[in-house]
Amino acid sequence: MANGVHHRLRVEAEVGALLLEAELEFAAPWTVVFGPSGSGKSSLLKAMCGLLECDEVEFARREGEGWRMLDGLESYRRLLGYAPQQAALFPHMTVRQNVAFATTQRPKGRAAWKQAMEVVDAAMDVFALRELEDRRPDDLSGGESQRVNLARAFVVPGARLMLLDEPFSGVDRRLRDMMLPRMKEWLKELDLAVISVTHDVDEALLLEAEVVRLEGGRVVAQGAAVEVLAEERVRMIAVLGGAAESIPQG
Amino acid sequence: MDFPALGLTLRLAGTTTLVLLLVATPLAAWIAGGSGWLRRMVQAVVALPLVLPPTVLGFYLLVGMAPGTMVGRVLIRVVGHSLAFTFWGLVVGSVVYSLPFAVVPLVTGFSSVNRELRETASVLGAGPLTVFRRIVVPLSGMSFAMAAVLAFAHTVGEFGVVLMIGGDIPGVTRTLSISIFDAVQEANYAGANRMAVWLVAVSFVALLGVYWRGARVQGSGSRG
């Protein structure tokens, strides 16, 4: 998946007062769409999911030497893992049932079911959900819900692309740093590409991903995180420096 | 006390409720699934029994089932007779008459299921039927209970439609409400009262069940 463009998107849509106009090619294993609130980041993901009413949209996936158009397909046929910004957990299911939602739709026979459960177990481990597996969404904190949201997206059978909207919002930083290497390992194993959305500079830099910078519904830059977010990086270092200076010395 | 009429009434209400849930569920899912003019028109037609006098509805159903009509001819070919003045004729009339009492709660229930939950399920690979079965139906449980209870209670109490379609044949089409009417006609007020108490009790228990369950569901938190 890392070699060459794996997905491409062209979209024009009116989202409230915002005119979203973007044309993008995704080549990196992990792409971060970065921008301020209201810049159209989530709408971009929704356009890929087929959840946004667009004036024009063209969304395609590389398949062999050709391209498979996805924009004409219903959402459930696009082979996507999706974690929306609001966790949107199914309230009548336990944590485990939520995570297993996608895998338990069509397993035929005992072997297929067993295999599906193994994938669910692996996701429960990666996102540290074992202790919560019998709880209902009502009993979870924001960070816990978000981890279930992520785990559920990771177990979609046959998924080719993960779309994660503010995936680590509310997740404890220590836990995030612990989960991230295992997530990346899993993605590599399954040859899965990720497009995530964030407004957190630190997160964008941490992921070492390609960054698409979105402002006012338009793409203003695309490239390596350290280049696209150079200004923010300098500002962040200055802030950290200032904070360090303000710490009383010995 | 006219026990055969009571038995017939409960059998009619039970059968009507079952048929109604089967008919109203897909209809309500379709109505709740969009907002086009066709949906609004069907919704208005479904709600007609709420405002039409039952005798008008019964009259058209009776005329519609007559042997001279297309429906009547099909019925005679398939079941051997027109359904008028039979138990199944009453069922058809009751289903039409109580349709809004099943469809409206179901449409409300289906529409109230969070759109984001349905969309997320869909992107995660669930087709429309799976989303309906695994997300919408479980989160609309109270609406199913409400639809069933209202349809049952409404059928127990109906009078005009059953009288028009079924007449007053003891053991075949004479329901409890018709039996009460007959008793009053004969100035048998004590007998009418005994039967009316049954209707009041059945209706009260049904509604109490709905409100009690509703309070429990509300008390147990959000439905997403």
Side-chain angles (χ1 to χ4, degrees):
Chain A
M1 195 65 81
N3 304 319
V5 177
H6 50 78
H7 284 83
R8 62 170 202 233
L9 171 74
R10 191 174 64 78
V11 60
E12 277 183 40
E14 280 177 52
V15 188
L18 181 80
L19 181 63
L20 178 65
E21 273 185 308
E23 191 165 352
L24 287 158
E25 290 190 332
F26 300 99
W30 195 313
T31 306
V32 172
V33 181
F34 176 87
S37 294
S39 57
K41 307 184 297 292
S42 296
S43 300
L44 208 67
L45 292 198
K46 285 190 173 176
M48 288 185 253
C49 291
L51 302 178
L52 185 74
E53 209 166 293
C54 301
D55 298 326
E56 275 188 52
V57 64
E58 203 180 290
F59 180 39
R61 169 179 297 144
R62 164 84 73 189
E63 283 195 354
E65 292 304 305
W67 289 93
R68 181 169 190 216
M69 302 310 294
L70 303 178
D71 46 76
L73 296 179
E74 294 92 342
S75 304
Y76 65 94
R77 295 187 197 277
R78 295 186 182 200
L79 297 177
L80 300 169
Y82 176 52
Q85 191 173 0
Q86 302 296 327
L89 302 183
F90 308 128
H92 56 300
M93 297 183 189
T94 63
V95 164
R96 187 178 178 84
Q97 286 166 339
N98 264 281
V99 174
F101 178 77
T103 59
T104 49
Q105 278 165 40
R106 287 179 285 269
K108 290 198 175 76
R110 193 174 287 182
W113 184 266
K114 196 177 162 215
Q115 201 178 353
M117 287 306 109
E118 281 170 8
V119 176
V120 173
D121 286 338
M124 300 288 285
D125 287 337
V126 170
F127 294 96
L129 294 170
R130 284 284 192 182
E131 285 177 11
L132 308 174
E133 68 177 3
D134 293 324
R135 286 220 218 146
R136 300 263 172 185
D138 277 354
D139 298 330
L140 300 177
S141 69
E144 289 167 344
S145 298
Q146 189 61 4
R147 274 151 52 204
V148 180
N149 188 25
L150 283 171
R152 187 177 57 177
F154 266 72
V155 299
V156 177
R160 302 283 305 279
L161 177 68
M162 304 289 294
L163 299 173
L164 312 177
D165 198 345
E166 303 276 6
F168 301 110
S169 72
V171 177
D172 176 72
R173 287 192 176 221
R174 188 185 52 82
L175 208 54
R176 176 193 72 181
D177 296 345
M178 191 188 81
M179 280 165 15
L180 205 51
R182 297 183 70 184
M183 274 171 74
K184 284 186 168 177
E185 204 177 297
W186 188 338
L187 291 165
K188 201 171 172 185
E189 207 175 290
L190 297 177
D191 197 22
L192 261 169
V194 179
I195 300 171
S196 70
V197 154
T198 189
H199 63 271
D200 182 340
V201 184
D202 178 36
E203 184 180 309
L205 290 167
L206 177 81
L207 290 168
E208 296 169 334
E210 180 166 270
V211 171
V212 170
R213 189 183 187 122
L214 208 62
E215 277 176 21
R218 286 164 196 267
V219 176
V220 293
Q222 182 169 6
V226 283
E227 290 165 18
V228 176
L229 301 176
E231 268 181 44
E232 278 81 1
R233 198 168 165 234
V234 170
R235 206 177 303 143
M236 204 168 74
I237 290 167
V239 169
L240 288 173
E245 278 172 21
S246 67
I247 296 171
Q249 300 296 308
Chain B
M1 179 69 194
D2 188 349
F3 283 107
L6 175 64
L8 181 76
T9 302
L10 295 177
R11 194 172 136 228
L12 175 65
T15 310
T16 301
T17 304
L18 276 180
V19 174
L20 263 178
L21 287 180
L22 291 176
V23 172
T25 301
L27 186 60
W30 180 73
I31 290 172
S35 56
W37 64 270
L38 186 62
R39 282 181 167 89
R40 295 293 83 88
M41 210 156 110
V42 170
Q43 207 170 5
V45 170
V46 166
L48 265 180
L50 289 174
V51 290
L52 275 181
T55 43
V56 172
L57 200 67
F59 169 69
Y60 281 121
L61 285 169
L62 187 64
V63 170
M65 288 176 194
T69 64
M70 199 177 74
V71 177
R73 281 197 293 274
V74 171
L75 284 171
I76 288 169
R77 191 170 296 170
V78 177
V79 294
H81 55 83
S82 143
L83 289 180
F85 307 108
T86 66
F87 174 76
W88 287 103
L90 291 190
V91 171
V92 171
S94 303
V95 165
V96 174
Y97 185 48
S98 296
L99 194 59
F101 290 86
V103 171
V104 172
L106 289 179
V107 170
T108 308
F110 296 164
S111 306
S112 69
V113 174
N114 188 322
R115 184 178 162 175
E116 205 164 22
L117 293 181
R118 287 182 274 134
E119 287 182 346
T120 303
S122 174
V123 182
L124 293 173
L129 275 179
T130 308
V131 173
F132 185 69
R133 185 173 55 82
R134 296 189 64 186
I135 306 295
V136 177
V137 169
L139 292 175
S140 308
M142 185 56 203
S143 306
F144 278 99
M146 180 78 92
V149 169
L150 286 179
F152 188 91
H154 193 240
T155 307
V156 164
E158 71 181 316
F159 177 74
V161 174
V162 289
L163 191 62
M164 290 297 277
I165 297 177
D168 185 3
I169 308 169
V172 181
T173 60
R174 183 188 285 172
T175 59
L176 206 56
S177 54
I178 294 173
S179 197
I180 292 169
F181 180 73
D182 289 345
V184 172
Q185 292 285 83
E186 293 160 10
N188 177 9
Y189 297 123
N193 183 42
R194 277 195 297 276
M195 290 186 277
V197 163
W198 270 93
L199 280 187
V200 172
V202 168
S203 306
F204 178 73
V205 168
L207 290 174
L208 187 67
V210 167
Y211 287 120
W212 179 71
R213 177 81 185 123
R216 276 192 61 179
V217 169
Q218 274 183 350
S220 68
S222 80
R223 49 188 291 148

